[in-house]
Amino acid sequence: MTTNQPLVQDQSLSVAPETPWWKGAVIYQVYPRSFADSNGDGVGDLAGITARLDYIASLGVDAIWLSPFYPSPMDDFGYDIADYCDVDPIFGSLADFDALVARAHALGLKVTTDLVFAHTSDRHTWFAESRANKDNDKADWYVWADAKVDGSPPTNWQSVFGGPAWTWDARRGQYYMHNFLGSQPQLNVHNRAVQEALLGVVRFWLDRGVDGFRIDAINFSMHDPELRDNPPAPPSNKARTRPFDFQQKIYNQSHPDIPLFLERIRALTDEYPGRFTVAEVGGDDAVREMKLFTAGEGRLSSAYGFDFLYADKLTPQLVREAAEQWPDAPGTGWPSWAFENHDAPRAVSRWTPEGVEPAAFARMKMALLCALRGNIIIYNGEELGLDQVEIPFELVKDPEALKNWPLTLSRDGARTPLPWASGESHAGFSSVDPWLPLGATHGDLAVDRQQDDPASLLNLTRRLIALRAAHPALRLGANAHWIADGDLLGFDRVAGGEHVRCLFNLGGGAIDIAGRCAGAEPIILLNGADPAHLPPCGALWLKLEGKN
């Protein structure tokens, strides 16, 4: 067995037809600005995505997730929305979006999009009307409050990106709240009229054929109406680089009425059979909130946390602890997992052990992701093994990094253009200089370099996804028999009569596993692994003897 080439046993076992399509699904995240530029302006667009949907479908994924493409001044690159029901001209038009959905559905791909319901852009017409005076129809659509008697902000709340969570507005003679940038005013989602307007947004996109939604920063969507100050955070050994880190975020977010609004979203999406909803939840109390937002049949389908996205090291204990928070038990929600996304540094740069080739680590990492119980999300370029790009300060676009330079790593390094063709100008992404520079090594990892190489990470990813789909134990099965011993990670996936054992070496030294795999039939072996030993970053999946 070579270090690159997996051994695959084709043993298709059908998933029960009543299982929702999204349960155990593989979702491919597309960052539109950096996926494919169809019109030569240096920025990716919807037509570029449509032209590359065959590539995405060839991975075997179930769905795509599109990061925001709505009209926006791009202060936070689309997460500051100026119109929820249109497409920013830089990405195309509603007709382009409809064409994307039609082509995706023809290829068997579901389409999910981002909903950003905690805030809008300050360019949104809702905010323009709200800030005009205190008596208009939308006066209470955002979070406004009077100054304290000394003119200071209403509370001590701090914004995620740095500085107070309040900005003075002379037109209203009040402060408005913002958990992120000052140009991202906080919606007052306590207001029933605001909820109705947001539900109208959901229906607009459902009527255009969207199959599901990722709901961004949903635990920031409601504040404490009594405007109580946050208490200080307890002492910590972790570096605090922002005023936000010095507080317990009790009153500026995570209000107990948020699940009631999520139930309204779920009731609406249930009018459209087969729709999927996933909450993005970060913060100090994320797991509790994720479970709350997915409890029972009337809330969201799944929740998406930050267990791995900012971890400096991948350890067996981290994986086990994250997974065991979501047992296969009645009343417990269904998790979604990601190792990378548009906000977090590329995992291959964070986690590759010293002395190990990044390509070997990337193979093991993809096998681990594809073995996890829950939905898994692959960020565009992860299937190619892209690493984090060092962006010089003069080219940084990320507003969070600009406000906190150099202590905050720029998110731009994970948002660089996808390399399609190694020999073409700008690696086939665009005919002109792209909005961010390509990675210096990414041309060697381009799609055309990997497409016809059976030992490439791209083709391994296709095989792993196919195996996950073919084995109910891997797609839907419960976890059992955890091992977290040094660098050795192991767990079984069990569904009905099928029993698959998964073992991974997360470190840079060899591990003896003799006796752990007696009588097992290999499904896949990676990086020189065999049933007796795991070399550095070795991995294997095994079908246990006597189990169907």
Side-chain angles (χ1 to χ4, degrees):
M1 186 61 54
T2 68
T3 59
N4 296 11
Q5 194 87 11
L7 173 66
V8 174
Q9 303 291 335
D10 184 11
Q11 301 173 20
S12 296
L13 297 169
S14 61
V15 173
E18 66 274 11
T19 302
W21 70 264
W22 52 262
K23 199 159 192 182
V26 182
I27 301 169
Y28 186 84
Q29 182 191 354
V30 175
Y31 191 69
R33 294 184 70 89
S34 297
F35 195 68
D37 173 19
S38 72
N39 61 0
D41 64 358
V43 178
D45 46 52
L46 296 182
I49 297 169
T50 303
R52 300 288 189 174
L53 283 174
D54 289 81
Y55 165 78
I56 298 175
S58 77
L59 298 174
V61 302
D62 300 283
I64 61 172
W65 152 30
L66 300 174
S67 292
F69 50 82
Y70 313 104
S72 167
M74 300 295 167
D75 291 348
D76 194 20
F77 293 96
Y79 286 89
D80 50 322
I81 296 173
D83 185 344
Y84 284 111
C85 297
D86 206 346
V87 173
D88 193 287
I90 199 169
F91 297 125
S93 65
L94 281 171
D96 291 322
F97 179 82
D98 293 341
L100 186 158
V101 171
R103 179 59 183 158
H105 287 170
L107 291 168
L109 292 170
K110 305 291 187 182
V111 177
T112 64
T113 63
D114 258 327
L115 296 177
V116 186
F117 281 176
H119 53 260
T120 70
S121 166
D122 60 0
R123 311 287 181 85
H124 200 294
T125 56
W126 296 350
F127 188 68
E129 184 174 349
S130 185
R131 79 192 311 184
N133 55 63
K134 299 178 184 179
D135 302 316
N136 65 79
D137 289 342
K138 294 184 174 58
D140 194 33
W141 279 40
Y142 292 82
V143 182
W144 295 96
D146 293 332
K148 291 182 178 178
V149 292
D150 62 357
S152 60
T155 70
N156 69 347
W157 302 345
Q158 298 292 312
S159 70
V160 174
F161 289 171
W166 297 96
T167 291
W168 176 256
D169 186 85
R171 275 160 282 199
R172 289 254 317 208
Q174 289 182 303
Y175 282 93
Y176 68 85
M177 180 189 168
H178 52 87
N179 275 309
F180 296 91
L181 293 174
S183 57
Q184 293 172 299
Q186 183 76 17
L187 280 165
N188 181 14
V189 184
H190 290 289
N191 186 323
R192 191 78 172 186
V194 172
Q195 292 190 16
E196 293 297 337
L198 296 177
L199 291 173
V201 171
V202 175
R203 189 178 294 278
F204 176 87
W205 293 107
L206 289 172
D207 287 341
R208 299 197 92 88
V210 167
D211 301 289
F213 304 99
R214 170 193 175 270
I215 307 179
D216 181 77
I218 192 60
N219 55 331
F220 282 90
S221 62
M222 290 187 190
H223 67 295
D224 170 35
E226 296 181 35
L227 301 181
R228 288 170 283 188
D229 282 349
N230 282 331
S236 173
N237 293 326
K238 294 182 179 179
R240 290 171 171 168
T241 60
R242 309 164 296 177
F244 182 77
D245 300 323
F246 286 80
Q247 296 182 353
Q248 298 180 58
K249 277 71 73 175
I250 294 175
Y251 296 119
N252 64 310
Q253 63 181 75
S254 306
H255 192 276
D257 285 349
I258 293 174
L260 302 180
F261 176 52
L262 298 182
E263 289 175 4
R264 299 194 73 200
I265 294 176
R266 176 61 184 269
L268 174 55
T269 59
D270 280 351
E271 295 177 21
Y272 299 74
R275 296 321 195 254
F276 168 64
T277 51
V278 57
E280 183 211 31
V281 183
D284 302 329
D285 200 20
V287 174
R288 183 192 66 82
E289 291 189 293
M290 290 163 69
K291 291 183 176 181
L292 185 65
F293 296 167
T294 57
E297 295 296 321
R299 295 185 181 171
L300 302 187
S301 311
S302 185
Y304 166 73
F306 291 76
D307 301 81
F308 301 108
L309 292 174
Y310 296 105
D312 293 329
K313 185 177 182 180
L314 181 66
T315 66
Q317 292 75 22
L318 173 65
V319 178
R320 178 175 183 171
E321 288 172 7
E324 287 191 329
Q325 291 168 338
W326 296 90
D328 185 16
T332 301
W334 185 258
S336 292
W337 305 108
F339 290 165
E340 301 182 7
N341 75 3
H342 61 288
D343 281 336
R346 293 282 188 181
V348 72
S349 297
R350 284 183 284 135
W351 290 346
T352 300
E354 186 176 353
V356 173
E357 285 295 321
F361 174 79
R363 290 190 289 271
M364 183 276 293
K365 174 179 70 72
M366 188 62 73
L368 172 57
L369 181 63
C370 289
L372 293 178
R373 176 184 176 271
N375 303 327
I376 63 169
I377 302 171
I378 296 173
Y379 178 49
N380 56 206
E382 189 172 3
E383 77 281 10
L384 303 176
L386 299 188
D387 58 358
Q388 183 79 1
V389 179
E390 292 293 330
I391 306 293
F393 179 75
E394 62 272 17
L395 297 179
V396 168
K397 305 292 197 300
D398 174 17
E400 183 178 14
L402 290 171
K403 283 181 71 72
N404 297 287
W405 189 269
L407 296 178
T408 297
L409 181 68
S410 170
R411 295 176 294 176
D412 295 338
R415 298 176 174 183
T416 56
L418 206 70
W420 292 98
S422 57
E424 295 184 15
S425 175
H426 310 297
F429 167 76
S430 177
S431 59
V432 301
D433 287 342
W435 76 286
L436 282 175
L438 281 94
T441 63
H442 289 184
D444 293 336
L445 299 171
V447 172
D448 70 334
R449 287 279 187 97
Q450 300 198 37
Q451 186 84 333
D452 298 320
D453 178 3
S456 70
L457 177 62
L458 172 58
N459 282 309
L460 172 62
T461 300
R462 289 169 170 150
R463 289 190 287 271
L464 291 167
I465 292 171
L467 284 167
R468 179 181 170 91
H471 289 269
L474 290 171
R475 179 161 180 141
L476 297 169
N479 291 323
H481 304 121
W482 281 95
I483 303 168
D485 182 9
D487 290 327
L488 177 62
L489 170 66
F491 52 86
D492 293 356
R493 301 292 311 282
V494 182
E498 187 182 36
H499 200 138
V500 175
R501 177 156 295 166
C502 306
L503 294 170
F504 308 89
N505 180 355
L506 305 190
I511 298 176
D512 182 359
I513 56 170
R516 296 185 184 274
C517 309
E521 177 184 355
I523 299 172
I524 195 163
L525 305 170
L526 291 178
N527 294 334
D530 63 50
H533 86 289
L534 289 175
C537 289
L540 53 82
W541 296 350
L542 304 157
K543 180 183 175 184
L544 296 192
E545 185 179 15
K547 306 292 184 180
N548 294 325

